[in-house]
Amino acid sequence: MAQEIKSVEYGLEKIFEGAQDFLPLLGTDYVELYVGNAKQSAHYYKTAFGFQSLAYKGLETGSREEVSYVLQQGKIRLVLTTPLNSRNPINDHLRKHGDGVKVIALWVEDARSAFAETTKRGAKPYLEPVVEKDEFGEVVRSGIHTYGDTVHIFVERKNYKGVFLPGYVEWKSDYNPSPIGLKYIDHMVGNVGWGEMNIWVKWYEQVMGFVNFLSFDDKQIHTEYSALMSKVMANGNGRIKFPINEPAHGKKKSQIEEYLDFYEGPGCQHIAVATDDIIETVRQLKARGVEFLPPPPKAYYEDVPKRLGEHMKKMKEDLKVLEELSILVDADEEGYLLQIFTKPVQDRPTLFFEIIQRMGAKGFGAGNFKALFESIEREQMRRGTL
Ligand code: FE2
């Protein structure tokens, strides 16, 4: 009965049968990136991606070891963290991986239970449950290791009214570029090593109670030169989706292998953020200097009506405009989706962003994989890493 009440309260409806509810997840709480220069990264994400200043901790607030800027747009919260001295262990992460995602934080009702249930099922502990307090209440956080040096932190904030977390102050800035319509995180993709995809699929099933709801093998995801495999994991209410990729053998180097080489191990490959108006969002991003993968060949857009079939009638967007902006289109049984991929957002060819607008489709743009990967290969060619 108690479970039913919670379901109503939080909208924890079950979408994926077979998913287990020992770990009810309310959504993504925040994503923390370790970066070399958080001040400048924050400026980039505000200016280029339209994130808003939310919270800050640093020397001025008594944080002597590291500085963090918290940015928000829609439901998306990004935390950008830089160490303030050479002794801070964050330096080891930066030296090895460069800028990248350290924490994928998940919003939970009970962080102690999340820790107990996941560690009991084999998760390696990262952060024992800790209660953090300030004048606005208390937050309980706990954490476990996932692939590579990446971690999941569970955040219980039902007794907290502050702007982000205890230890942070509100960040008021005179510089506030307008948002560009980013709403929430649709999915976050992990790249893992050769032969490791199924290990992590099993890990998300056993430790987190997720289900594998889509799979793509190297016969589906390949070009003339390279290949990869992917399985999409989702929690019971479908709010959290983590595709897991591993490289596959091809004539040349897989883009996943390139990532693993430069990130020096498994890690988060891309963050897909949702918008309700991809045309306006992408126009803004381009005007603000965000670089995207090169456009697919002209034939790609000529084929769209054929690929979309029935869904083409429902399409509100002008195909010419989509082509002008190099936005990709795909459909599944339930609808269509629009998506586009940025170039890596740091010098190492590692983390990038996807902008996605779902018009009913629940897939990941499998029909675009070939066009997309050929674009990536043209970039790999330029980098000498194909
Ligand atoms: Fe994606």
Side-chain angles (χ1 to χ4, degrees):
M1 192 60 195
Q3 199 58 41
E4 276 172 37
I5 291 164
K6 276 177 196 157
S7 297
V8 174
E9 220 176 323
Y10 296 113
L12 284 172
E13 70 285 5
K14 202 157 190 175
I15 293 177
F16 295 108
E17 284 307 322
Q20 307 207 18
D21 46 16
F22 59 82
L23 180 63
L25 299 175
L26 307 174
T28 308
D29 195 283
Y30 65 88
V31 176
E32 181 169 14
L33 286 85
Y34 283 173
V35 296
N37 186 337
K39 185 177 212 143
Q40 291 190 5
S41 291
H43 187 75
Y44 173 76
Y45 284 107
K46 284 171 72 170
T47 306
F49 281 80
F51 280 90
Q52 308 294 301
S53 304
L54 180 70
Y56 170 83
K57 75 172 183 188
L59 292 172
E60 301 83 348
T61 70
S63 174
R64 313 297 302 174
E65 294 298 313
E66 62 222 32
V67 55
S68 294
Y69 294 80
V70 188
L71 308 171
Q72 183 161 27
Q73 186 168 184
K75 291 180 179 167
I76 312 161
R77 278 195 291 245
L78 283 187
V79 182
L80 304 163
T81 298
T82 288
L84 285 168
N85 56 59
S86 63
R87 302 174 300 280
N88 190 313
I90 293 172
N91 289 295
D92 301 336
H93 200 277
L94 284 171
R95 184 162 46 248
K96 184 167 184 190
H97 304 299
D99 288 9
V101 173
K102 173 64 183 180
V103 180
I104 302 170
L106 303 167
W107 177 27
V108 297
E109 294 168 68
D110 185 340
R112 291 182 185 89
S113 153
F115 185 80
E117 295 294 337
T118 52
T119 52
K120 186 168 86 189
R121 289 171 170 82
K124 188 178 154 200
Y126 172 72
L127 174 69
E128 296 272 338
V130 54
V131 182
E132 295 155 320
K133 290 182 192 185
D134 66 11
E135 65 208 279
F136 302 106
E138 64 173 52
V139 170
V140 188
R141 293 194 304 152
S142 63
I144 57 172
H145 288 267
T146 175
Y147 48 78
D149 288 327
T150 316
V151 301
H152 288 309
I153 287 196
F154 302 116
V155 185
E156 172 189 329
R157 51 170 72 255
K158 57 177 179 272
N159 298 317
Y160 193 66
K161 300 232 171 337
V163 67
F164 179 54
L165 290 174
Y168 286 81
V169 296
E170 190 179 355
W171 173 21
K172 288 207 180 92
S173 172
D174 294 332
Y175 178 65
N176 302 298
S178 58
I180 58 155
L182 302 180
K183 302 271 181 199
Y184 58 89
I185 293 180
D186 186 274
H187 59 276
M188 288 183 68
V189 180
N191 281 344
V192 300
W194 292 95
E196 289 178 358
M197 178 179 69
N198 286 325
I199 295 171
W200 287 103
V201 164
K202 210 168 264 165
W203 188 90
Y204 275 104
E205 283 171 354
Q206 285 174 357
V207 171
M208 307 270 287
F210 281 35
V211 285
N212 170 212
F213 84 104
L214 274 176
S215 299
F216 307 100
D217 65 21
D218 48 340
K219 286 175 196 70
Q220 291 161 286
I221 315 186
H222 72 100
T223 65
E224 193 189 342
Y225 297 118
S226 67
L228 65 89
M229 294 191 277
S230 188
K231 287 190 176 174
V232 185
M233 306 307 292
N235 78 317
N237 62 19
R239 290 191 195 173
I240 311 291
K241 292 188 281 290
F242 294 146
I244 309 286
N245 295 336
E246 75 170 37
H249 291 284
K251 274 193 228 167
K252 294 194 175 180
K253 191 182 260 191
S254 168
Q255 51 163 301
I256 309 304
E257 204 181 345
E258 185 199 37
Y259 176 100
L260 296 169
D261 285 352
F262 280 91
Y263 200 69
E264 298 191 20
C268 176
Q269 179 209 36
H270 73 267
I271 305 173
V273 288
T275 169
D276 292 337
D277 184 355
I278 197 168
I279 291 175
E280 185 50 28
T281 297
V282 171
R283 275 196 179 127
Q284 284 286 334
L285 287 166
K286 288 191 173 178
R288 294 167 184 221
V290 173
E291 296 177 311
F292 290 91
L293 286 177
K298 195 150 182 59
Y300 173 90
Y301 289 96
E302 289 163 8
D303 286 348
V304 167
K306 203 171 72 200
R307 279 202 297 118
L308 259 66
E310 274 301 290
H311 298 302
M312 194 65 202
K313 287 185 210 145
K314 283 180 268 166
M315 203 165 98
K316 296 185 188 79
E317 297 76 15
D318 182 347
L319 198 52
K320 283 244 151 21
V321 177
L322 297 177
E323 181 173 356
E324 260 166 46
L325 294 168
S326 310
I327 294 168
L328 306 177
V329 195
D330 192 32
D332 60 20
E333 301 78 45
E334 290 161 276
Y336 69 97
L337 63 80
L338 304 164
Q339 62 185 170
I340 189 167
F341 299 84
T342 72
K343 288 188 181 182
V345 289
Q346 59 291 305
D347 289 300
R348 296 196 200 188
T350 51
L351 177 71
F352 60 87
F353 281 80
E354 170 184 350
I355 315 298
I356 184 166
Q357 181 179 357
R358 292 188 183 276
M359 301 299 283
K362 298 215 166 60
F364 291 81
N368 289 325
F369 286 170
K370 199 172 158 63
L372 167 66
F373 298 156
E374 283 169 355
S375 288
I376 293 177
E377 280 168 13
R378 287 200 290 279
E379 291 293 291
Q380 278 183 269
M381 208 102 78
R382 293 177 57 217
R383 294 194 282 260
T385 61
L386 185 62

